[in-house]
Amino acid sequence: MKFYCKIAIVLCLIVGLNACKSSKQSTVEPGGQLSTTDEEYFETMLDHELQYQTWSCKMNIEFKSKSKISGLSGSLKLVKDKALQISVAVPIFGIEGFRMKITPDSVIALDRLNQRYIAEEISNFKTKEPILDFNTLQALFTNRLFIPGKKEVTKSDYSSFNVNRKNDQMLFTLKGNRKFNFTFTGNYTHHIVSSFIGMEASDYLMDWKYSSFGDVAGVWFPSQIGVQITAEGKNLNVDMSFSKMEKDKNINVDFSIPDKYRRTDINYLINLLMR
């Protein structure tokens, strides 16, 4: 399995694991409607994206694999373009059992229960075609459009997509001879309701679905994300619910690795989470 597919599974397993309901369950934005032209819709969708310097929230997570259903709670912290940190608590005891930090250059994870850690440089896993880089990850968690390998999507990127209207929804598919298919679906609220990544002629796919939109810190934002993952014959469904969402607050994403922890590799983490 390629590194970026592994990271996708790891992230979804860790952040995606019991979905507490948000107090704001509105599903449509008042007065929303499809724009007259496809390009106008694209521009409005970008205007409606979350604008932030930091983003943080509490999470309740449920994931379902073939063999088990697991529920966990945790938190997410994001400093735009710099770092994404996920912390997961041990059920019942409420203490932190796992922490992962991803930056544009590195991946660091602490397995506190087994006193092991992972520390890898992103440069060790560069692929010919960018798939799931840091910019993509932060876009997925903040309900934003993305182009792999590009820091941010702008209105001038409209020509990079094939656009189709289907059942009152807008579908934006990245153009080009790509090994992976990237398709984003928007509704009349001018927000993304699905971000799909799939590998041609294979069973690799990851589909992020956004729902339960409401006014969060002055922004129309989803409080629930469902993720479907298929890789190498394994299927995983993840439901995430968010609460106490805050933007532009001072947050700390630094942490050290205890001296007594043993270093391992990402395959250990995949096997630990998938068994």
Side-chain angles (χ1 to χ4, degrees):
M1 187 190 298
K2 297 296 184 182
F3 170 77
Y4 291 109
C5 292
K6 291 180 179 179
I7 289 296
I9 292 175
V10 170
L11 281 174
C12 291
L13 283 169
I14 293 176
V15 292
L17 309 159
N18 202 341
C20 75
K21 300 297 183 181
S22 168
S23 60
K24 297 179 180 179
Q25 292 294 314
S26 300
T27 56
V28 296
E29 186 174 22
Q33 60 182 342
L34 289 178
S35 302
T36 303
T37 68
D38 296 347
E39 186 169 7
E40 182 182 350
Y41 181 97
F42 180 83
E43 293 178 351
T44 304
M45 183 168 61
L46 293 181
D47 288 338
H48 286 186
E49 288 183 339
L50 174 69
Q51 303 299 322
Y52 69 98
Q53 292 304 311
T54 66
W55 179 252
S56 62
C57 62
K58 299 294 183 181
M59 299 186 300
N60 281 290
I61 315 152
E62 181 180 88
F63 85 90
K64 302 176 183 178
S65 62
K66 184 178 180 179
S67 60
K68 62 182 179 181
I69 299 176
S70 300
L72 295 173
S73 62
S75 63
L76 180 148
K77 297 178 181 180
L78 175 60
V79 180
K80 186 178 180 182
D81 302 331
K82 294 182 179 180
L84 184 155
Q85 180 176 294
I86 297 159
S87 176
V88 178
V90 178
I92 301 177
F93 298 103
I95 60 174
E96 184 181 66
F98 193 95
R99 183 183 294 191
M100 172 180 280
K101 177 182 176 182
I102 301 174
T103 73
D105 302 317
S106 64
V107 178
I108 303 173
L110 299 181
D111 175 6
R112 296 195 183 280
L113 297 181
N114 297 293
Q115 296 188 344
R116 298 195 184 193
Y117 76 94
I118 296 165
E120 300 287 352
E121 296 293 326
I122 295 295
S123 59
N124 295 334
F125 307 99
K126 291 293 185 181
T127 58
K128 185 175 181 180
E129 179 185 2
I131 301 170
L132 199 61
D133 57 15
F134 179 83
N135 295 322
T136 298
L137 288 173
Q138 70 176 359
L140 286 169
F141 280 108
T142 55
N143 192 227
R144 293 169 65 96
L145 198 66
F146 64 85
I147 297 176
K150 186 178 175 64
K151 189 171 184 178
E152 190 168 356
V153 178
T154 65
K155 294 179 181 180
S156 63
D157 290 312
Y158 172 75
S159 60
S160 298
F161 295 88
N162 290 316
V163 186
N164 293 289
R165 295 187 180 222
K166 183 179 180 180
N167 299 327
D168 295 326
Q169 292 184 324
M170 303 291 290
L171 275 65
F172 296 87
T173 302
L174 277 174
K175 296 179 180 178
N177 184 20
R178 297 177 177 272
K179 191 175 182 179
F180 281 78
N181 169 37
F182 296 85
T183 298
F184 306 88
T185 303
N187 65 7
Y188 67 88
T189 68
H190 298 85
H191 289 82
I192 296 171
V193 294
S194 173
S195 295
F196 175 85
I197 304 171
M199 187 176 182
E200 298 294 339
S202 79
D203 67 346
Y204 286 96
L205 69 84
M206 182 169 60
D207 191 8
W208 290 54
K209 294 187 181 299
Y210 305 89
S211 61
S212 296
F213 284 79
D215 188 349
V216 179
V219 180
W220 201 248
F221 196 79
S223 62
Q224 292 188 318
I225 301 177
V227 185
Q228 177 189 356
I229 305 168
T230 299
E232 294 187 346
K234 296 180 180 180
N235 297 299
L236 185 70
N237 289 290
V238 179
D239 291 316
M240 296 177 271
S241 289
F242 305 99
S243 61
K244 297 183 180 179
M245 294 178 278
E246 295 182 317
K247 72 184 187 80
D248 299 337
K249 302 290 185 179
N250 290 327
I251 59 176
N252 183 2
V253 294
D254 294 326
F255 65 92
S256 59
I257 300 172
D259 293 336
K260 62 183 179 180
Y261 280 32
R262 291 177 295 163
R263 185 168 183 173
T264 186
D265 60 26
I266 201 162
N267 290 306
Y268 162 80
L269 181 59
I270 296 297
N271 292 331
L272 177 68
L273 294 172
M274 292 298 287
R275 70 186 181 190

